[in-house]
């Protein structure tokens, strides 16, 4: 069922509710420039008794907002608003890419409600997730300010291992390049300014990362391997949830 909740600041968050109305909710959070529709094929492969909430973050998909604050913490409040609207008292929060950061932040915000975090090729990109200097933040954002489409192509191609179907790469580029502005660029800035290490110090819930084997670096494994469980997968590119929905559903179901 397609539903909507409105936050006090006027932000309208759209989401899809599937499965029974009670029980632990598997909450799915898309990546930057994407939307909840990416999870539709995955939901079809999940057991029917699983309660699923797939969320469009502000200015992604159908959700709309003219707020002035674009941080990972604010996106976590989008998710928290959906959980409140659905009267959820227990949730596993799973996020892809930027959604993984939002999932961690949601767990920090709701320690008594979120029982586990599942990250789908998220959290391990060292140019994004550890705290960045202001110089590094500006260096990351400058190409997007000068040539958004070109920088977007470079980002998608960097997450597409050799052998990735070129038509899929092009489809990701088209989709992500059309993210609504200025929210899209401001959301990327919010991600670049997020301090994951600080968040991890406060999150006690277990975290598992399903990372693309050919993309993750040993440096990232060494840095975070003792903080969350890292499982390497060979299911496609950075966007493997779209490319391998049945296998991704199996990973998610195995954690519930």
């Amino acid at each position: 069922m397609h539903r909507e909740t409105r936050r006090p600041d006027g932000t309208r968050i759209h989401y899809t509710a599937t499965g029974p109305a009670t029980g632990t909710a598997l909450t799915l959070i898309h990546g930057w420039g994407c939307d909840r529709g990416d999870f539709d094929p995955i939901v079809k492969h999940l057991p029917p008794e699983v309660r699923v909430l797939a969320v469009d973050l502000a200015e992604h998909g159908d959700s709309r907002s003219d707020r002035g604050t674009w941080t990972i913490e604010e996106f976590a409040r989008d998710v928290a608003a959906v959980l409140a609207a659905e009267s959820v008292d227990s949730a596993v929060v799973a996020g892809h890419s930027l959604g993984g950061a939002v999932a961690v932040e949601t767990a920090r915000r709701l320690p008594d409600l979120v029982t586990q975090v599942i990250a789908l090729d998220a959290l391990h990109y060292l140019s994004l997730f550890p705290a960045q200097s202001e110089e590094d933040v500006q260096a990351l954002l400058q190409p997007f300010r000068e040539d958004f489409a070109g920088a977007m192509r470079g980002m998608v191609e960097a997450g597409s291992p050799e052998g990735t179907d070129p038509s899929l790469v092009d489809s990701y580029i088209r989709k992500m390049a059309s993210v609504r502005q200025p929210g899209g660029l401001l959301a990327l800035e919010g991600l670049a300014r997020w301090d994951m290490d600080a968040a991890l110090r406060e999150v006690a819930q277990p975290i598992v990362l399903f990372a693309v084997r050919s993309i993750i670096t040993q440096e990232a494994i060494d840095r975070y391997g003792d903080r969350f469980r890292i499982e390497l997968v060979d299911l496609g590119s950075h966007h493997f949830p779209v490319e391998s929905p049945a296998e991704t559903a199996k990973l998610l179901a195995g954690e519930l």
Side-chain angles (χ1 to χ4, degrees):
M1 297 182 65
H2 179 188
R3 298 176 180 172
E4 174 188 341
T5 188
R6 186 181 294 265
R7 292 186 51 196
D9 66 356
T11 296
R12 292 177 290 125
I13 300 299
H14 288 249
Y15 62 99
T16 302
T18 306
T22 59
T24 298
L26 173 61
T27 308
L28 302 176
I29 310 169
H30 59 78
W32 181 72
C34 299
D35 57 65
R36 72 184 192 276
D38 289 347
F39 295 113
D40 287 349
I42 294 173
V43 173
K44 294 177 182 178
H45 289 284
L46 288 170
E49 67 271 16
V50 176
R51 181 184 189 186
V52 184
L53 302 173
V55 181
D56 274 344
L57 299 174
E59 286 301 274
H60 291 72
D62 294 320
S63 295
R64 295 291 178 265
S65 178
D66 58 1
R67 67 194 183 203
T69 302
W70 295 90
T71 61
I72 298 301
E73 293 85 350
E74 200 63 27
F75 281 131
R77 293 185 177 94
D78 293 341
V79 177
V82 170
L83 297 176
E86 291 292 312
S87 300
V88 172
D89 57 16
S90 178
V92 173
V93 183
H96 169 244
S97 197
L98 174 143
V102 177
V104 169
E105 198 60 47
T106 303
R108 175 159 70 165
R109 180 174 178 80
L110 302 172
D112 297 326
L113 190 155
V114 175
T115 61
Q116 182 179 3
V117 173
I118 303 173
L120 304 173
D121 209 55
L123 310 183
H124 67 84
Y125 291 88
L126 298 184
S127 62
L128 275 176
F129 290 107
Q132 305 293 307
S133 68
E134 184 60 26
E135 181 180 3
D136 289 339
V137 171
Q138 295 306 320
L140 173 71
L141 296 175
Q142 192 60 34
F144 288 89
R145 291 168 175 157
E146 295 176 351
D147 178 9
F148 187 86
M152 173 56 59
R153 174 174 289 276
M155 174 182 282
V156 174
E157 290 177 343
S160 303
E162 185 177 354
T164 303
D165 185 342
S167 66
L168 282 174
V169 175
D170 289 341
S171 70
Y172 300 145
I173 292 170
R174 288 194 301 272
K175 180 173 184 176
M176 297 170 70
S178 65
V179 64
R180 290 172 62 86
Q181 301 294 359
L185 187 56
L186 293 173
L188 184 60
E189 180 176 356
L191 178 60
R193 294 185 184 281
W194 185 56
D195 186 346
M196 184 174 80
D197 291 336
L200 291 176
R201 286 193 291 269
E202 297 183 23
V203 174
Q205 301 95 317
I207 302 171
V208 59
L209 162 64
F210 292 105
V212 176
R213 188 188 307 272
S214 58
I215 295 178
I216 192 172
T217 65
Q218 186 61 46
E219 183 183 1
I221 294 173
D222 293 341
R223 180 179 180 118
Y224 291 115
D226 62 347
R227 180 57 190 85
F228 44 76
R229 176 163 57 93
I230 299 175
E231 301 286 350
L232 304 183
V233 299
D234 301 292
L235 298 177
S237 74
H238 173 64
H239 293 271
F240 75 82
V242 174
E243 297 159 29
S244 304
E247 293 83 355
T248 302
K250 186 175 180 180
L251 295 177
L252 293 170
E255 295 296 324
L256 296 178

